[in-house]
Amino acid sequence: MAPELSTFEARRRANVVNNAKLLKDSAEVAAKMRRAAAPPPKPAASKKRKAAEPTPRTRVMPTRQSARLAGGGGAVNGTELKLEDIPTELKPPQSKRMRTSGDLQLSNLQVEGQRWSSTSALASFVQGAQPGVRTFTEEDIKDTSDTKLKDLRKEMSDLKLYEGWVPNDIKITPERVYALTFHPIQNKPIVLAGDKKGTLGFFDASQETPPEPDDDDEDVDIPLPQISAFEVHNRTISSIKVPIFDPNSVITSSYDSSIRCLDLQSQVSSQIWQPDDDDIDMGISCIDISPEAKDTILFSTLEGTLGRVDRRTKGKAEIWSLSDNKIGGFSMHPLLPHLVATASLDRTLKIWDLRMVKGKGEPRQPSLLGEHQSRLSVSHASWSRGGYLATSSYDDTVKVYDMSDAMKWKPGEDLSAKRMKPAHVIPHNNQTGRWVTILKPQWQINPADGVEKFAIANMNRFVDIFDREGKQLAQLDGEGITAVPAVAEFHPTLNWLAAGTGSGKLCLWM
């Protein structure tokens, strides 16, 4: 006896039967509607039978066939079959050429073959430092025909790196060196350097050096050199001057808008000048002092102004607006302090005469004698004792201007464009970037050997020395130099040279 269905199951089965019936009725109704909508069939047209033309029988050849059976052998008319002779449908499929993406190094992409192996066409576009690659070698000295120049090159190239400590151990300032100079004393080398944070460092190279360790001693603790450092400014020290006529005074300028003088005897740093209003920010980019005007200090600013202050009247300065852009560096003629050469971000070298100050109020300024424009900004202008100007600029040149007849110039002399043209243009990589201090040429103030020469750092981690005719005298290097010795300067009289790096390390040649 079958079990009795529950109410739920009986209702489910009834629903299934009803749904099936609805689907069947819907299908029949749809079929009737399609038949009613269809057009009536057309009567078929009678067709005439046409006699078929006989087709010639042809031999069906396989897709791949022997050249011998085709009657052509391995060549056609004595020549090999070429790829372009093969029908397109018989050629093997070629893979799709994908485009390249990302950075590509040209040295990995050079086309093979001697015809395309040269890279000289691109050599002039390559910039940047090549550490350790010399641009002046011993061969250049040997090939010098001028006997006097050859002897001078040998003498300058014989300068040796200080051996008391390696440069990495002589950390003269905590931060990057921005300014550097020698004390003019001649019985021992004393170097002063200023850094990015306003610290003034002193290093005496005559101090006792540690003995050479034995070869068997691997873990020798070599004592570090004695260095003195003082925070005399709150921001970058931009210039340091120790006048030959006043060796006890160390005059410094800074981006903190002040000029200070450190008395080495009393060991007191006193303020020479700052803006009257503490809220005025007038970063000082450079200062200069002439032995012919001992109490006068000239200074340039990041705002394009030039100022003159007398040490005897502290706090009072005459300021002239000379440029709409930063004046990166300037110098006075050592023997003619009324002549000033400025180098500016506006790409110009300008020569001014302080004997003729014209105008009233803000337009008041010294007389402009002449100017020369470079392709890019000019970083510094340095005047030698003999009247030669050296500039460095971002067009990768060092230019030397012959102004040796400046003694004859009248007040307000008009220097023509031809007269302002550089006498010598020296190719020189001046692209310092962000972490290296700007390269600036610095003349030796009063050389004892009578040879006017200037030093400028080389981005390949050397220091270059040139004479007033633009001829290179030496390229100084040494073991242990691991950074660009960017701030380089001679001793005022002796052939000693010091340079500071971006990490506050000191290189010294004597």
Side-chain angles (χ1 to χ4, degrees):
M1 183 176 179
E4 186 178 355
L5 297 176
S6 64
T7 304
F8 175 79
E9 180 65 20
R11 184 179 299 175
R12 186 186 70 81
R13 292 188 179 186
N15 289 337
V16 169
V17 173
N18 291 333
N19 291 338
K21 184 179 179 181
L22 288 173
L23 289 174
K24 182 179 180 182
D25 293 344
S26 298
E28 290 176 355
V29 172
K32 291 178 181 180
M33 293 176 65
R34 282 196 298 270
R35 285 195 296 271
K42 296 181 180 181
S46 60
K47 297 182 179 179
K48 295 182 179 181
R49 294 180 60 86
K50 187 177 181 180
E53 295 182 0
T55 56
R57 298 184 63 186
T58 57
R59 182 184 176 188
V60 179
M61 300 295 292
T63 303
R64 295 174 60 87
Q65 60 178 338
S66 167
R68 178 180 59 80
L69 294 178
V76 179
N77 297 330
T79 60
E80 294 292 332
L81 283 173
K82 298 181 180 179
L83 184 62
E84 53 265 27
D85 297 332
I86 302 176
T88 304
E89 61 271 11
L90 300 181
K91 291 181 181 179
Q94 294 184 351
S95 59
K96 184 179 179 181
R97 293 174 63 87
M98 303 297 292
R99 64 172 173 268
T100 56
S101 60
D103 296 334
L104 305 175
Q105 186 71 30
L106 284 188
S107 58
N108 301 328
L109 306 175
Q110 193 162 0
V111 178
E112 295 182 358
Q114 185 177 2
R115 184 173 185 176
W116 300 285
S117 62
S118 175
T119 57
S120 58
L122 300 179
S124 60
F125 295 95
V126 178
Q127 293 183 347
Q130 297 176 290
V133 178
R134 300 186 67 90
T135 56
F136 183 79
T137 65
E138 292 183 1
E139 294 298 323
D140 295 311
I141 300 176
K142 292 179 182 178
D143 295 340
T144 306
S145 57
D146 189 323
T147 305
K148 186 177 180 180
L149 177 60
K150 187 173 184 178
D151 293 341
L152 183 58
R153 283 178 165 175
K154 287 182 178 179
E155 180 184 353
M156 299 308 301
S157 297
D158 285 340
L159 295 178
K160 301 298 181 184
L161 191 65
Y162 176 68
E163 297 179 348
W165 285 272
V166 296
N168 278 346
D169 288 340
I170 312 176
K171 191 169 176 64
I172 192 169
T173 58
E175 300 289 339
R176 186 204 307 185
V177 175
Y178 268 77
L180 180 144
T181 192
F182 273 94
H183 191 281
I185 191 171
Q186 298 186 14
N187 57 2
K188 57 181 178 181
I190 298 179
V191 182
L192 296 79
D195 76 356
K196 181 179 179 179
K197 295 293 183 66
T199 302
L200 179 64
F202 293 78
F203 174 70
D204 183 355
S206 67
Q207 63 184 277
E208 185 178 354
T209 58
E212 288 289 334
D214 297 332
D215 295 337
D216 298 334
D217 298 336
E218 296 182 358
D219 299 328
V220 179
D221 188 11
I222 300 177
L224 295 176
Q226 297 179 6
I227 297 173
S228 303
F230 309 94
E231 296 179 356
V232 296
H233 288 277
N234 294 327
R235 293 176 62 186
T236 302
I237 294 178
S238 55
S239 286
I240 306 173
K241 299 293 181 182
V242 184
I244 296 178
F245 54 85
D246 186 11
N248 287 326
S249 296
V250 178
I251 302 173
T252 57
S253 65
S254 170
Y255 288 176
D256 65 8
S257 309
S258 69
I259 301 174
R260 303 188 68 86
C261 178
L262 172 63
D263 190 314
L264 296 178
Q265 285 189 336
S266 65
Q267 298 189 7
V268 174
S269 174
S270 57
Q271 184 171 282
I272 294 178
W273 182 84
Q274 72 170 15
D276 295 333
D277 190 343
D278 291 339
D279 294 332
I280 296 178
D281 190 9
M282 191 179 292
I284 299 174
S285 59
C286 187
I287 59 173
D288 200 11
I289 304 170
S290 171
E292 301 299 322
K294 300 180 180 180
D295 295 314
T296 300
I297 300 175
L298 293 187
F299 62 91
S300 61
T301 71
L302 303 178
E303 285 72 35
T305 59
L306 184 74
R308 178 169 61 185
V309 62
D310 194 318
R311 296 177 64 184
R312 295 167 296 185
T313 58
K314 294 183 179 180
K316 295 183 179 180
E318 189 174 8
I319 299 177
W320 309 290
S321 179
L322 304 185
S323 173
D324 294 332
N325 302 94
K326 163 188 171 182
I327 296 178
F330 81 98
S331 66
M332 288 190 288
H333 192 298
L335 301 180
L336 305 171
H338 57 272
L339 295 178
V340 177
T342 60
S344 175
L345 198 64
D346 65 4
R347 303 180 296 167
T348 62
L349 161 73
K350 294 180 180 179
I351 299 178
W352 308 85
D353 190 345
L354 302 186
R355 293 176 296 183
M356 293 184 64
V357 181
K358 304 175 182 179
K360 294 182 179 180
E362 189 173 341
R364 180 175 169 83
Q365 63 178 213
S367 177
L368 177 62
L369 305 185
E371 67 177 281
H372 178 263
Q373 190 170 63
S374 295
R375 188 171 57 88
L376 295 174
S377 64
V378 186
S379 304
H380 187 60
S382 180
W383 219 321
S384 77
R385 191 177 182 86
Y388 288 82
L389 270 170
T391 66
S392 57
S393 54
Y394 273 94
D395 60 3
D396 284 340
T397 62
V398 173
K399 302 180 183 71
V400 180
Y401 301 79
D402 184 358
M403 304 294 174
S404 55
D405 61 345
M407 297 282 291
K408 304 176 183 178
W409 293 353
K410 299 176 182 178
E413 181 93 7
D414 184 15
L415 301 178
S416 64
K418 182 179 179 181
R419 186 69 186 81
M420 290 296 299
K421 189 176 180 180
H424 310 284
V425 179
I426 308 166
H428 196 271
N429 180 13
N430 298 324
Q431 306 301 317
T432 54
R434 181 179 179 184
W435 306 110
V436 178
T437 305
I438 294 173
L439 309 186
K440 298 181 179 182
Q442 299 287 357
W443 291 93
Q444 191 172 21
I445 297 175
N446 190 16
D449 59 6
V451 178
E452 289 192 306
K453 50 191 175 291
F454 66 87
I456 183 171
N458 185 304
M459 286 299 293
N460 292 357
R461 299 180 184 174
F462 304 104
V463 173
D464 295 329
I465 302 175
F466 297 93
D467 66 6
R468 67 186 186 184
E469 296 179 358
K471 295 178 181 177
Q472 187 156 5
L473 303 181
Q475 191 168 80
L476 303 182
D477 64 353
E479 187 176 354
I481 300 177
T482 58
V484 179
V487 187
E489 190 163 325
F490 271 107
H491 184 277
T493 55
L494 304 178
N495 286 335
W496 299 340
L497 196 147
T501 71
S503 56
K505 310 296 177 59
L506 177 67
C507 305
L508 176 63
W509 290 269
M510 296 187 295

